[in-house]
Amino acid sequence: MKTPLRFALLAILLCLLLAACGASETENMLATAEAFAAGGDYDQAISQYTALIQEDAQSAAAYNQRGLAYYKKGEVESALSDYNQAIQLDPKLSAAYLNRGKLYSAAGYMDLAIKDFDQAIQLDPKFAEAYNGRGVSYQAMGELAQAIDDFTQAIQLAPDNSDAYNNRGIAYLYQDDFLSALSDFEQVVRLEPDSAGAYNNRALAYRNLGEKEKALADYKTALDLCGTNETFCQQIHERLVELEGK
């Protein structure tokens, strides 16, 4: 069964189950939209969230989630508008600050991003994703010590957060702390054994530590796992060939 059809059927089944359990129409619509989004059908998700907003114009959660669907479609301005509306409706919605912070960070507005991550953390001091997001922004600004502190906090709050381990490993690479970087990338490989990026990054740490054979083995594994991302596959291949020639 094709993936979009499978998730469409899942959404319908979820809708029926929620109705049977006495869920409200709003909860039903929200869960259906989230199922479409989880399956990558962002157009259907946006349609569902829009219908929900028409039913309940005060639903901050619907605006926030629709914003996330817009963002994943690449419609950044629509996403920002929805995040702003979600925050206006519910100034205590930490997820909306997180999502807007990620948008600002990706767009290069680090000061605005950090303000949003700060607010998300103030509202929810155990929000691991917000610490990780703020760390990414600090890292982009060259504030490596602060970035590492935030990634470490994210890991303490969510020990299986592979993104935080990976980001901290990259920060350690920038500091030429290759042993610490290797330790973090090993955690990423443990958590995501099918991730080409995890093996590629660990290979980089091994390479800087002079462990040529281990680096070659990781590059080869990364090349096997890189899939259809031609640019990334080519980069890995070039690193492999370069290292083999040394």
Side-chain angles (χ1 to χ4, degrees):
M1 185 181 296
K2 294 182 179 179
T3 298
L5 177 58
R6 183 168 67 247
F7 278 100
L9 292 175
L10 175 61
I12 293 169
L13 177 60
L14 182 60
C15 178
L16 293 173
L17 287 172
L18 287 168
C21 293
S24 70
E25 183 177 354
T26 296
E27 291 170 332
N28 193 337
M29 294 173 70
L30 189 59
T32 301
E34 289 172 354
F36 279 123
D41 192 344
Y42 301 119
D43 288 329
Q44 283 287 352
I46 289 167
S47 178
Q48 287 289 318
Y49 288 128
T50 301
L52 176 55
I53 289 167
Q54 289 172 347
E55 291 288 329
D56 180 5
Q58 300 303 306
S59 177
Y63 276 106
N64 179 55
Q65 291 301 107
R66 189 176 70 173
L68 187 57
Y70 274 130
Y71 187 72
K72 290 184 176 180
K73 276 194 68 183
E75 297 183 23
V76 178
E77 290 184 5
S78 294
L80 180 58
S81 176
D82 272 358
Y83 295 149
N84 289 340
Q85 185 64 24
I87 290 168
Q88 182 176 335
L89 289 169
D90 185 358
K92 295 184 178 180
L93 186 61
S94 59
Y97 289 103
L98 171 74
N99 290 334
R100 193 174 69 177
K102 287 181 176 180
L103 184 154
Y104 282 141
S105 183
Y109 299 108
M110 300 307 166
D111 289 338
L112 292 175
I114 288 171
K115 287 180 181 179
D116 273 351
F117 293 132
D118 285 345
Q119 187 63 31
I121 290 167
Q122 182 177 338
L123 291 167
D124 182 359
K126 295 184 178 181
F127 202 170
E129 281 191 77
Y131 284 102
N132 184 59
R134 191 173 68 178
V136 169
S137 296
Y138 277 133
Q139 183 165 286
M141 295 172 67
E143 302 287 348
L144 296 180
Q146 289 176 285
I148 288 170
D149 284 347
D150 272 350
F151 297 142
T152 300
Q153 184 65 28
I155 290 166
Q156 290 174 348
L157 291 168
D160 290 339
N161 188 330
S162 61
D163 285 342
Y165 278 113
N166 187 66
N167 291 332
R168 191 174 68 176
I170 292 170
Y172 283 136
L173 284 179
Y174 284 134
Q175 290 187 326
D176 293 335
D177 185 352
F178 303 122
L179 281 174
S180 294
L182 176 61
S183 177
D184 276 351
F185 294 141
E186 285 178 341
Q187 290 297 323
V188 182
V189 170
R190 177 182 65 84
L191 292 166
E192 296 188 28
D194 296 326
S195 168
Y199 288 97
N200 175 72
N201 289 346
R202 191 172 68 175
L204 184 57
Y206 276 135
R207 182 173 181 172
N208 280 285
L209 289 166
E211 299 279 359
K212 178 178 177 179
E213 295 306 316
K214 290 181 179 179
L216 286 172
D218 270 358
Y219 279 137
K220 289 175 182 177
T221 301
L223 197 58
D224 288 339
L225 294 171
C226 68
T228 59
N229 188 333
E230 294 183 5
T231 300
F232 186 42
C233 290
Q234 182 62 29
Q235 290 172 347
I236 297 170
H237 177 73
E238 289 173 358
R239 291 166 189 159
L240 175 60
V241 171
E242 179 190 0
L243 187 58
E244 285 177 330
K246 289 187 176 180

